[in-house]
């Protein structure tokens, strides 16, 4: 959980209660780079909102550049949260300003996505290997 990102989300105005609640739920699960990958079902359990309401809120947040969604077939989508007021992309350079005020271009964001995904997969492989070793010992 990133306290900085969560506190930045609380300051955002002009969102419906549903949109803000979904955004806060995502921020609560995000790491310091603003990356998280909860399922719609897990967001629904946390917020008690319908899947349809959550999808609508995420589409609105993505459309207004508060987050970026990377769809992963067969897995939960990856979300990069950029709750800073100036998170709108700079169309001249193709960059965005993230929650901490750092300018990030699409390539840097993609690198963050890949790094986070690789950490997750490495952890899953390590846990699986440990279970196998325990089984055979």
């Amino acid at each position: 959980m990133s306290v900085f990102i969560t506190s930045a989300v609380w300051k955002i105005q002009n969102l419906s209660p549903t949109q803000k609640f979904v955004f806060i739920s995502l921020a609560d699960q995000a790491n310091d780079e603003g990356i998280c990958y909860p399922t719609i079902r897990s967001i629904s359990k946390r917020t008690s909102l319908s899947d349809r309401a959550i999808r609508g809120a995420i589409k609105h947040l993505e459309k207004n550049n508060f987050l970026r969604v990377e769809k992963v077939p067969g897995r939960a989508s990856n979300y990069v949260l950029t709750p800073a007021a100036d998170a709108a992309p700079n169309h001249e350079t193709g960059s965005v300003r993230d929650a901490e005020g750092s300018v990030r271009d699409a390539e840097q964001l993609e690198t963050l996505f890949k790094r986070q995904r690789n950490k997750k997969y490495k952890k899953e492989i390590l846990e699986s290997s440990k279970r196998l070793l325990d089984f055979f010992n």
Side-chain angles (χ1 to χ4, degrees):
M1 175 179 104
S2 172
V3 174
F4 180 80
I5 291 175
T6 303
S7 64
V9 170
W10 277 110
K11 296 174 187 175
I12 296 172
Q13 301 297 314
N14 302 323
L15 293 177
S16 74
T18 300
Q19 294 161 354
K20 192 153 191 174
F21 198 21
V22 169
F23 203 13
I24 289 168
S25 177
L26 291 170
D28 187 50
Q29 298 175 77
N31 62 17
D32 288 336
E33 282 114 12
I35 300 171
C36 62
Y37 34 88
T39 62
I40 297 294
R41 181 177 291 165
S42 70
I43 298 169
S44 179
K45 285 181 182 178
R46 290 170 60 98
T47 62
S48 299
L49 295 169
S50 70
D51 292 1
R52 185 175 179 181
I54 293 166
R55 283 189 180 90
I58 289 172
K59 282 183 184 177
H60 175 83
L61 294 168
E62 183 178 25
K63 180 180 152 191
N64 289 287
N65 299 311
F66 288 113
L67 61 84
R68 178 176 155 217
V69 180
E70 179 186 79
K71 307 246 188 246
V72 181
R75 300 185 75 81
S77 296
N78 294 325
Y79 303 96
V80 175
L81 281 59
T82 54
D86 56 348
N90 178 339
H91 296 291
E92 292 174 9
T93 64
S95 64
V96 296
R97 192 170 293 278
D98 69 8
E100 297 172 347
S102 303
V103 175
R104 304 208 181 198
D105 62 18
E107 191 173 307
Q108 289 172 320
L109 289 172
E110 195 63 35
T111 301
L112 285 173
F113 266 133
K114 287 177 183 175
R115 188 178 309 139
Q116 189 65 26
R117 221 178 18 238
N118 287 340
K119 284 181 188 176
K120 180 182 175 188
Y121 293 140
K122 285 178 184 176
K123 183 178 177 183
E124 288 174 1
I125 291 169
L126 180 64
E127 289 171 358
S128 178
S129 299
K130 286 180 182 178
R131 283 194 301 270
L132 280 172
L133 286 172
D134 289 342
F135 177 77
F136 287 111
N137 287 333

